[in-house]
Amino acid sequence: MTNGKVALVTGASRGIGRACAIKLGEAGYKVAVNYNSNEAAANEVVEKIKAAGSEAVAIKANVSDLAEVKTMMREVINTFGQLDVLVNNAGIVKDEFVLMMNPDTIDQCLDLNIKGYMYCTQQAVLKMFSKKQGVIVNVSSVSSKLAVPGQSVYSATKGAVNSMTATMAKELAPYGIRVNAVAPGFIATDMVEALPEDKKEEYLKDIPMKRFGTAEEIGDVVTMLAGPACSYMTGQVIVLDGGLSL
Ligand SMILES: NC(=O)c1ccc[n+]([C@@H]2O[C@H](COP(=O)([O-])OP(=O)(O)OC[C@H]3O[C@@H](n4cnc5c(N)ncnc54)[C@H](OP(=O)(O)O)[C@@H]3O)[C@@H](O)[C@H]2O)c1
C-alpha cells in the first residue's frame, strides 16, 4: 500500500541512504533510489521496498553533476508523476590534516556535499512549487558542530549544509516546503567501517551511549521529518549522535 507520496533519496544504494529509502518505502512512499555506481545494491533496495508493498525505481546519477541531476529528476517525474520528499544524503568524507589537504579532495567534497545538495534541492523545488508542498531533509553530520581533527574540509561542507538548511527553510516556507536536517554522529556504515580499528575504539570512548548508531535509527528520524508529525518544523538540525556532542 502506498501513501500516494513520492520520495527521492540520493546515495540510497548503501548506508544511511539505503536505510532512509527502505524506511520511507515501509511508510508507504514510492521511492526513487539514487545511486552512483553500485547498481546491484540499488536494485536490492528497490526489491526490499517492493516486498514491503510500495513502489520503487533505481536511478543512476552522479549528483555532483547538474546535468545528471536534471536527467534524474525527469526520470522521477516520468516514473511517478510527482515529487514530494527529497532526502539529500549522498556524501563523502576524506580526512586530511590542514597541511596535507589536497586540492582534489577539497573539490570532491565541495562538489558532492555542497553543490550536490544545492543542485538536487533546486531541481526538486521546481517540481514542488506547483503543488505548494514538499519536504527536503538534508543529511548533515555532527562534524558540523564538533571539531574532529582531519575533518576541516568535511566539517566545512556539513556546516554549509546546516546554513543552507536554515536559509532555504526561510525562503521556501511561504511555498509550503519544509527544509530540515539530521546530523548523525558515528553510524555503522561503510564510511565508518573504513576507519582504522584504533580510531574506532578512540571514538567509541567519547560516545556516552558507548556504541555507534545504526543507519536504521537515522532512517526512522528522516521518515518522521518527512511526515505530518513534523508539519510545523522547519530549518532545524536534529543531532543523532548517542550524546557525543554533549
Ligand atoms: N556514516 C556515518 O557515520 C555518518 C555520520 C555523519 C554523517 N554521515 C553522512 O551521511 C551520508 C551518507 O553516509 P554513509 O555513511 O551512508 O555513506 P556510504 O555508506 O559511503 O554510502 C554512500 C552512498 O552515496 C552514494 N554516492 C557516492 N557518491 C555519489 C555521487 N557522486 N552521486 C550519487 N550518489 C553517490 C553511494 O553510491 P554507490 O553505492 O553507487 O557508490 C552510496 O549509496 C553522507 O552525507 C555522510 O556525510 C555519515
Side-chain angles (χ1 to χ4, degrees):
M1 252 307 257
T2 77
N3 64 9
K5 298 210 167 195
V6 177
L8 163 64
V9 183
T10 68
S13 48
R14 292 184 283 118
I16 291 172
R18 176 183 193 274
C20 291
I22 292 170
K23 291 283 182 182
L24 285 161
E26 288 171 351
Y29 292 84
K30 299 175 194 174
V31 187
V33 175
N34 161 251
Y35 68 100
N36 185 39
S37 57
N38 204 332
E39 186 179 10
N43 284 336
E44 194 206 309
V45 176
V46 167
E47 290 313 314
K48 274 197 175 291
I49 293 168
K50 287 183 177 169
S54 192
E55 296 172 29
V57 64
I59 304 179
K60 178 176 166 57
N62 169 5
V63 297
S64 60
D65 182 308
L66 179 58
E68 292 196 29
V69 170
K70 286 182 177 175
T71 305
M72 171 176 72
M73 287 299 171
R74 270 198 298 276
E75 207 171 326
V76 173
I77 300 301
N78 287 344
T79 308
F80 294 128
Q82 65 193 64
L83 178 63
D84 303 282
V85 176
L86 166 69
V87 181
N88 278 314
N89 165 78
I92 42 168
V93 63
K94 294 210 172 175
D95 286 10
E96 283 169 357
F97 283 94
V98 177
L99 292 175
M100 315 287 278
M101 264 175 358
N102 181 320
D104 290 342
T105 304
I106 298 174
D107 284 344
Q108 283 168 16
C109 289
L110 268 59
D111 284 352
L112 184 56
N113 299 4
I114 301 182
K115 289 189 199 170
Y117 281 39
M118 290 178 169
Y119 294 154
C120 290
T121 301
Q122 184 184 51
Q123 296 307 309
V125 166
L126 281 169
K127 309 295 176 205
M128 293 169 174
F129 257 136
S130 56
K131 283 178 77 181
K132 289 233 180 292
Q133 64 175 44
V135 177
I136 317 277
V137 182
N138 293 324
V139 180
S140 178
S141 167
V142 75
S143 298
S144 63
K145 296 175 176 282
L146 186 77
V148 179
Q151 293 200 338
S152 302
V153 179
Y154 182 69
S155 68
T157 65
K158 294 303 185 177
V161 169
N162 296 357
S163 300
M164 77 172 87
T165 297
T167 307
M168 289 176 178
K170 206 163 179 177
E171 273 185 29
L172 296 170
Y175 303 97
I177 298 169
R178 297 187 295 108
V179 189
N180 289 293
V182 290
F186 290 100
I187 307 302
T189 67
D190 292 349
M191 192 180 266
V192 163
E193 282 310 313
L195 292 169
E197 281 307 315
D198 57 330
K199 270 277 167 216
K200 281 195 254 184
E201 275 167 35
E202 194 187 309
Y203 290 144
L204 270 176
K205 282 196 200 122
D206 292 335
I207 301 172
M209 288 179 71
K210 296 295 169 215
R211 66 172 178 86
F212 294 138
T214 66
E216 288 71 26
E217 287 172 312
I218 309 303
D220 277 331
V221 176
V222 167
T223 303
M224 186 183 76
L225 286 171
C230 295
S231 53
Y232 198 51
M233 184 193 292
T234 199
Q236 303 305 305
V237 180
I238 312 296
V239 178
L240 303 163
D241 68 351
L244 174 67
S245 57
L246 296 175

